[in-house]
Amino acid sequence: MSKKLKQGQFKIIERHGQLVFAMNSEFSLPANAPVRLTSAQLEELDYGKLYSAYSPRGRKSKVDPRVMFKVMVYGYQCGIYSSRKLEEACKYRIDFMWLLGDEKVPDHATFARFRTGRCVEAVENLFYQYVKLLEK
């Protein structure tokens, strides 16, 4: 049985008699952190083509495609290009955890499929939009 109690900077979770402290990344990142700026910029893009690449039938994606794109772009800005390194960053770096929010950490195969699968054209379009936004 798991019971959650919210406190300021930490979420205290009791699991089978053992206390676990889950850090709230909102307090850990400064207001001027680059990840916050990148996320705000990426929110201005039109994700219609990306969502239309996903079928409404079939299984639901493990991670929201918008969040996958944000993690991928921020990873590129940090010099992280490998799918395995992106997965590792999502597990251990607070800025990537903040981007993921409540989403589960995608594995390296998920990143690889996202880059090369049915979303290739939509992802290219989003990169084009992002570059145009940055030119302004």
Side-chain angles (χ1 to χ4, degrees), residues 55-77:
S55 171
R57 293 182 292 173
R59 66 183 181 97
K60 185 180 178 290
S61 301
K62 183 177 180 181
V63 179
D64 180 30
R66 177 187 307 234
V67 173
M68 284 289 291
F69 183 72
K70 284 182 172 186
V71 168
M72 198 170 71
V73 168
Y74 185 66
Y76 289 172
Q77 290 177 343

PDB file of all heavy atoms in Angstrom, residues 55-77:
ATOM      1  N   SER A  55      -1.891   7.032 -34.842  1.00  0.00           N
ATOM      2  CA  SER A  55      -3.226   6.507 -35.088  1.00  0.00           C
ATOM      3  C   SER A  55      -4.063   6.582 -33.814  1.00  0.00           C
ATOM      4  O   SER A  55      -3.555   6.291 -32.729  1.00  0.00           O
ATOM      5  CB  SER A  55      -3.121   5.050 -35.545  1.00  0.00           C
ATOM      6  OG  SER A  55      -4.386   4.466 -35.588  1.00  0.00           O
ATOM      7  N   PRO A  56      -5.343   6.936 -33.928  1.00  0.00           N
ATOM      8  CA  PRO A  56      -6.200   6.933 -32.731  1.00  0.00           C
ATOM      9  C   PRO A  56      -6.501   5.513 -32.250  1.00  0.00           C
ATOM     10  O   PRO A  56      -6.897   5.306 -31.121  1.00  0.00           O
ATOM     11  CB  PRO A  56      -7.470   7.647 -33.186  1.00  0.00           C
ATOM     12  CG  PRO A  56      -7.477   7.507 -34.670  1.00  0.00           C
ATOM     13  CD  PRO A  56      -6.042   7.399 -35.106  1.00  0.00           C
ATOM     14  N   ARG A  57      -6.289   4.539 -33.152  1.00  0.00           N
ATOM     15  CA  ARG A  57      -6.488   3.141 -32.766  1.00  0.00           C
ATOM     16  C   ARG A  57      -5.152   2.559 -32.348  1.00  0.00           C
ATOM     17  O   ARG A  57      -4.102   3.122 -32.610  1.00  0.00           O
ATOM     18  CB  ARG A  57      -7.058   2.342 -33.924  1.00  0.00           C
ATOM     19  CG  ARG A  57      -8.462   2.770 -34.276  1.00  0.00           C
ATOM     20  CD  ARG A  57      -9.016   1.947 -35.374  1.00  0.00           C
ATOM     21  NE  ARG A  57      -8.284   2.257 -36.609  1.00  0.00           N
ATOM     22  CZ  ARG A  57      -8.431   1.614 -37.742  1.00  0.00           C
ATOM     23  NH1 ARG A  57      -9.264   0.618 -37.822  1.00  0.00           N
ATOM     24  NH2 ARG A  57      -7.761   1.976 -38.810  1.00  0.00           N
ATOM     25  N   GLY A  58      -5.189   1.433 -31.706  1.00  0.00           N
ATOM     26  CA  GLY A  58      -3.951   0.793 -31.271  1.00  0.00           C
ATOM     27  C   GLY A  58      -3.570   1.240 -29.871  1.00  0.00           C
ATOM     28  O   GLY A  58      -4.317   1.911 -29.182  1.00  0.00           O
ATOM     29  N   ARG A  59      -2.382   0.878 -29.486  1.00  0.00           N
ATOM     30  CA  ARG A  59      -1.968   1.188 -28.118  1.00  0.00           C
ATOM     31  C   ARG A  59      -1.570   2.654 -27.979  1.00  0.00           C
ATOM     32  O   ARG A  59      -1.121   3.287 -28.919  1.00  0.00           O
ATOM     33  CB  ARG A  59      -0.835   0.288 -27.664  1.00  0.00           C
ATOM     34  CG  ARG A  59       0.464   0.473 -28.400  1.00  0.00           C
ATOM     35  CD  ARG A  59       1.496  -0.537 -27.895  1.00  0.00           C
ATOM     36  NE  ARG A  59       2.745  -0.350 -28.581  1.00  0.00           N
ATOM     37  CZ  ARG A  59       3.764   0.354 -28.094  1.00  0.00           C
ATOM     38  NH1 ARG A  59       3.668   0.894 -26.910  1.00  0.00           N
ATOM     39  NH2 ARG A  59       4.874   0.498 -28.784  1.00  0.00           N
ATOM     40  N   LYS A  60      -1.728   3.150 -26.770  1.00  0.00           N
ATOM     41  CA  LYS A  60      -1.398   4.540 -26.475  1.00  0.00           C
ATOM     42  C   LYS A  60       0.116   4.659 -26.323  1.00  0.00           C
ATOM     43  O   LYS A  60       0.781   3.755 -25.828  1.00  0.00           O
ATOM     44  CB  LYS A  60      -2.088   4.948 -25.176  1.00  0.00           C
ATOM     45  CG  LYS A  60      -1.937   6.401 -24.817  1.00  0.00           C
ATOM     46  CD  LYS A  60      -2.669   6.700 -23.518  1.00  0.00           C
ATOM     47  CE  LYS A  60      -2.489   8.135 -23.112  1.00  0.00           C
ATOM     48  NZ  LYS A  60      -1.149   8.467 -22.682  1.00  0.00           N
ATOM     49  N   SER A  61       0.658   5.779 -26.738  1.00  0.00           N
ATOM     50  CA  SER A  61       2.093   6.011 -26.625  1.00  0.00           C
ATOM     51  C   SER A  61       2.503   6.060 -25.156  1.00  0.00           C
ATOM     52  O   SER A  61       1.761   6.563 -24.315  1.00  0.00           O
ATOM     53  CB  SER A  61       2.473   7.336 -27.272  1.00  0.00           C
ATOM     54  OG  SER A  61       2.119   7.336 -28.620  1.00  0.00           O
ATOM     55  N   LYS A  62       3.691   5.558 -24.883  1.00  0.00           N
ATOM     56  CA  LYS A  62       4.207   5.565 -23.521  1.00  0.00           C
ATOM     57  C   LYS A  62       4.420   6.997 -23.041  1.00  0.00           C
ATOM     58  O   LYS A  62       4.174   7.328 -21.897  1.00  0.00           O
ATOM     59  CB  LYS A  62       5.520   4.778 -23.466  1.00  0.00           C
ATOM     60  CG  LYS A  62       6.114   4.653 -22.094  1.00  0.00           C
ATOM     61  CD  LYS A  62       7.370   3.804 -22.119  1.00  0.00           C
ATOM     62  CE  LYS A  62       7.970   3.689 -20.737  1.00  0.00           C
ATOM     63  NZ  LYS A  62       9.190   2.901 -20.744  1.00  0.00           N
ATOM     64  N   VAL A  63       4.888   7.847 -23.950  1.00  0.00           N
ATOM     65  CA  VAL A  63       5.165   9.246 -23.632  1.00  0.00           C
ATOM     66  C   VAL A  63       4.476  10.119 -24.681  1.00  0.00           C
ATOM     67  O   VAL A  63       4.442   9.770 -25.863  1.00  0.00           O
ATOM     68  CB  VAL A  63       6.687   9.516 -23.642  1.00  0.00           C
ATOM     69  CG1 VAL A  63       6.993  10.962 -23.339  1.00  0.00           C
ATOM     70  CG2 VAL A  63       7.402   8.619 -22.654  1.00  0.00           C
ATOM     71  N   ASP A  64       3.944  11.236 -24.249  1.00  0.00           N
ATOM     72  CA  ASP A  64       3.303  12.186 -25.161  1.00  0.00           C
ATOM     73  C   ASP A  64       4.304  12.612 -26.235  1.00  0.00           C
ATOM     74  O   ASP A  64       5.442  12.958 -25.917  1.00  0.00           O
ATOM     75  CB  ASP A  64       2.833  13.396 -24.347  1.00  0.00           C
ATOM     76  CG  ASP A  64       2.145  14.441 -25.194  1.00  0.00           C
ATOM     77  OD1 ASP A  64       1.529  14.071 -26.210  1.00  0.00           O
ATOM     78  OD2 ASP A  64       2.222  15.631 -24.832  1.00  0.00           O
ATOM     79  N   PRO A  65       3.924  12.581 -27.517  1.00  0.00           N
ATOM     80  CA  PRO A  65       4.846  12.955 -28.590  1.00  0.00           C
ATOM     81  C   PRO A  65       5.423  14.367 -28.441  1.00  0.00           C
ATOM     82  O   PRO A  65       6.576  14.614 -28.772  1.00  0.00           O
ATOM     83  CB  PRO A  65       3.984  12.866 -29.853  1.00  0.00           C
ATOM     84  CG  PRO A  65       2.871  11.960 -29.500  1.00  0.00           C
ATOM     85  CD  PRO A  65       2.641  12.116 -28.035  1.00  0.00           C
ATOM     86  N   ARG A  66       4.649  15.290 -27.905  1.00  0.00           N
ATOM     87  CA  ARG A  66       5.140  16.644 -27.677  1.00  0.00           C
ATOM     88  C   ARG A  66       6.301  16.624 -26.678  1.00  0.00           C
ATOM     89  O   ARG A  66       7.312  17.299 -26.881  1.00  0.00           O
ATOM     90  CB  ARG A  66       4.017  17.525 -27.138  1.00  0.00           C
ATOM     91  CG  ARG A  66       4.452  18.943 -26.794  1.00  0.00           C
ATOM     92  CD  ARG A  66       3.343  19.705 -26.111  1.00  0.00           C
ATOM     93  NE  ARG A  66       2.116  19.676 -26.876  1.00  0.00           N
ATOM     94  CZ  ARG A  66       1.438  20.750 -27.255  1.00  0.00           C
ATOM     95  NH1 ARG A  66       1.850  21.933 -26.926  1.00  0.00           N
ATOM     96  NH2 ARG A  66       0.332  20.629 -27.944  1.00  0.00           N
ATOM     97  N   VAL A  67       6.168  15.845 -25.631  1.00  0.00           N
ATOM     98  CA  VAL A  67       7.224  15.737 -24.619  1.00  0.00           C
ATOM     99  C   VAL A  67       8.456  15.055 -25.217  1.00  0.00           C
ATOM    100  O   VAL A  67       9.592  15.470 -24.963  1.00  0.00           O
ATOM    101  CB  VAL A  67       6.713  14.977 -23.372  1.00  0.00           C
ATOM    102  CG1 VAL A  67       7.833  14.713 -22.382  1.00  0.00           C
ATOM    103  CG2 VAL A  67       5.589  15.753 -22.713  1.00  0.00           C
ATOM    104  N   MET A  68       8.239  14.040 -26.044  1.00  0.00           N
ATOM    105  CA  MET A  68       9.367  13.370 -26.715  1.00  0.00           C
ATOM    106  C   MET A  68      10.152  14.365 -27.559  1.00  0.00           C
ATOM    107  O   MET A  68      11.387  14.379 -27.541  1.00  0.00           O
ATOM    108  CB  MET A  68       8.859  12.239 -27.619  1.00  0.00           C
ATOM    109  CG  MET A  68       8.445  10.999 -26.896  1.00  0.00           C
ATOM    110  SD  MET A  68       9.833  10.096 -26.204  1.00  0.00           S
ATOM    111  CE  MET A  68      10.628   9.518 -27.675  1.00  0.00           C
ATOM    112  N   PHE A  69       9.436  15.210 -28.302  1.00  0.00           N
ATOM    113  CA  PHE A  69      10.108  16.195 -29.146  1.00  0.00           C
ATOM    114  C   PHE A  69      10.881  17.194 -28.288  1.00  0.00           C
ATOM    115  O   PHE A  69      12.020  17.543 -28.594  1.00  0.00           O
ATOM    116  CB  PHE A  69       9.098  16.907 -30.048  1.00  0.00           C
ATOM    117  CG  PHE A  69       9.744  17.887 -30.982  1.00  0.00           C
ATOM    118  CD1 PHE A  69      10.494  17.438 -32.059  1.00  0.00           C
ATOM    119  CD2 PHE A  69       9.631  19.251 -30.770  1.00  0.00           C
ATOM    120  CE1 PHE A  69      11.114  18.342 -32.924  1.00  0.00           C
ATOM    121  CE2 PHE A  69      10.239  20.155 -31.625  1.00  0.00           C
ATOM    122  CZ  PHE A  69      10.983  19.700 -32.699  1.00  0.00           C
ATOM    123  N   LYS A  70      10.270  17.651 -27.207  1.00  0.00           N
ATOM    124  CA  LYS A  70      10.944  18.600 -26.318  1.00  0.00           C
ATOM    125  C   LYS A  70      12.232  18.009 -25.750  1.00  0.00           C
ATOM    126  O   LYS A  70      13.267  18.673 -25.721  1.00  0.00           O
ATOM    127  CB  LYS A  70      10.023  19.004 -25.163  1.00  0.00           C
ATOM    128  CG  LYS A  70       8.954  19.974 -25.524  1.00  0.00           C
ATOM    129  CD  LYS A  70       8.176  20.313 -24.264  1.00  0.00           C
ATOM    130  CE  LYS A  70       7.199  21.418 -24.472  1.00  0.00           C
ATOM    131  NZ  LYS A  70       6.556  21.820 -23.212  1.00  0.00           N
ATOM    132  N   VAL A  71      12.159  16.770 -25.298  1.00  0.00           N
ATOM    133  CA  VAL A  71      13.345  16.116 -24.733  1.00  0.00           C
ATOM    134  C   VAL A  71      14.425  15.965 -25.796  1.00  0.00           C
ATOM    135  O   VAL A  71      15.606  16.219 -25.546  1.00  0.00           O
ATOM    136  CB  VAL A  71      12.976  14.738 -24.123  1.00  0.00           C
ATOM    137  CG1 VAL A  71      14.208  13.929 -23.793  1.00  0.00           C
ATOM    138  CG2 VAL A  71      12.112  14.920 -22.889  1.00  0.00           C
ATOM    139  N   MET A  72      14.022  15.589 -26.994  1.00  0.00           N
ATOM    140  CA  MET A  72      14.978  15.410 -28.074  1.00  0.00           C
ATOM    141  C   MET A  72      15.659  16.739 -28.437  1.00  0.00           C
ATOM    142  O   MET A  72      16.882  16.810 -28.562  1.00  0.00           O
ATOM    143  CB  MET A  72      14.271  14.827 -29.294  1.00  0.00           C
ATOM    144  CG  MET A  72      15.193  14.214 -30.299  1.00  0.00           C
ATOM    145  SD  MET A  72      14.311  13.295 -31.572  1.00  0.00           S
ATOM    146  CE  MET A  72      13.552  14.600 -32.486  1.00  0.00           C
ATOM    147  N   VAL A  73      14.886  17.801 -28.572  1.00  0.00           N
ATOM    148  CA  VAL A  73      15.446  19.110 -28.918  1.00  0.00           C
ATOM    149  C   VAL A  73      16.371  19.605 -27.814  1.00  0.00           C
ATOM    150  O   VAL A  73      17.491  20.062 -28.075  1.00  0.00           O
ATOM    151  CB  VAL A  73      14.323  20.146 -29.183  1.00  0.00           C
ATOM    152  CG1 VAL A  73      14.874  21.556 -29.262  1.00  0.00           C
ATOM    153  CG2 VAL A  73      13.581  19.794 -30.452  1.00  0.00           C
ATOM    154  N   TYR A  74      15.925  19.507 -26.582  1.00  0.00           N
ATOM    155  CA  TYR A  74      16.767  19.974 -25.474  1.00  0.00           C
ATOM    156  C   TYR A  74      18.040  19.131 -25.377  1.00  0.00           C
ATOM    157  O   TYR A  74      19.119  19.651 -25.101  1.00  0.00           O
ATOM    158  CB  TYR A  74      15.992  19.947 -24.154  1.00  0.00           C
ATOM    159  CG  TYR A  74      16.781  20.532 -23.021  1.00  0.00           C
ATOM    160  CD1 TYR A  74      17.105  21.889 -23.009  1.00  0.00           C
ATOM    161  CD2 TYR A  74      17.235  19.740 -21.979  1.00  0.00           C
ATOM    162  CE1 TYR A  74      17.855  22.430 -21.984  1.00  0.00           C
ATOM    163  CE2 TYR A  74      17.984  20.274 -20.945  1.00  0.00           C
ATOM    164  CZ  TYR A  74      18.289  21.624 -20.960  1.00  0.00           C
ATOM    165  OH  TYR A  74      19.045  22.165 -19.943  1.00  0.00           O
ATOM    166  N   GLY A  75      17.919  17.847 -25.635  1.00  0.00           N
ATOM    167  CA  GLY A  75      19.103  16.983 -25.654  1.00  0.00           C
ATOM    168  C   GLY A  75      20.084  17.419 -26.722  1.00  0.00           C
ATOM    169  O   GLY A  75      21.298  17.504 -26.480  1.00  0.00           O
ATOM    170  N   TYR A  76      19.584  17.740 -27.904  1.00  0.00           N
ATOM    171  CA  TYR A  76      20.455  18.225 -28.977  1.00  0.00           C
ATOM    172  C   TYR A  76      21.143  19.521 -28.560  1.00  0.00           C
ATOM    173  O   TYR A  76      22.325  19.720 -28.828  1.00  0.00           O
ATOM    174  CB  TYR A  76      19.658  18.459 -30.258  1.00  0.00           C
ATOM    175  CG  TYR A  76      19.186  17.206 -30.967  1.00  0.00           C
ATOM    176  CD1 TYR A  76      18.316  17.292 -32.033  1.00  0.00           C
ATOM    177  CD2 TYR A  76      19.604  15.940 -30.565  1.00  0.00           C
ATOM    178  CE1 TYR A  76      17.869  16.159 -32.705  1.00  0.00           C
ATOM    179  CE2 TYR A  76      19.158  14.808 -31.224  1.00  0.00           C
ATOM    180  CZ  TYR A  76      18.291  14.916 -32.285  1.00  0.00           C
ATOM    181  OH  TYR A  76      17.854  13.802 -32.947  1.00  0.00           O
ATOM    182  N   GLN A  77      20.411  20.413 -27.898  1.00  0.00           N
ATOM    183  CA  GLN A  77      21.005  21.671 -27.446  1.00  0.00           C
ATOM    184  C   GLN A  77      22.094  21.441 -26.405  1.00  0.00           C
ATOM    185  O   GLN A  77      23.013  22.243 -26.286  1.00  0.00           O
ATOM    186  CB  GLN A  77      19.926  22.596 -26.881  1.00  0.00           C
ATOM    187  CG  GLN A  77      19.001  23.148 -27.923  1.00  0.00           C
ATOM    188  CD  GLN A  77      17.886  24.001 -27.343  1.00  0.00           C
ATOM    189  OE1 GLN A  77      17.598  23.952 -26.155  1.00  0.00           O
ATOM    190  NE2 GLN A  77      17.254  24.784 -28.200  1.00  0.00           N
TER     191      GLN A  77
END
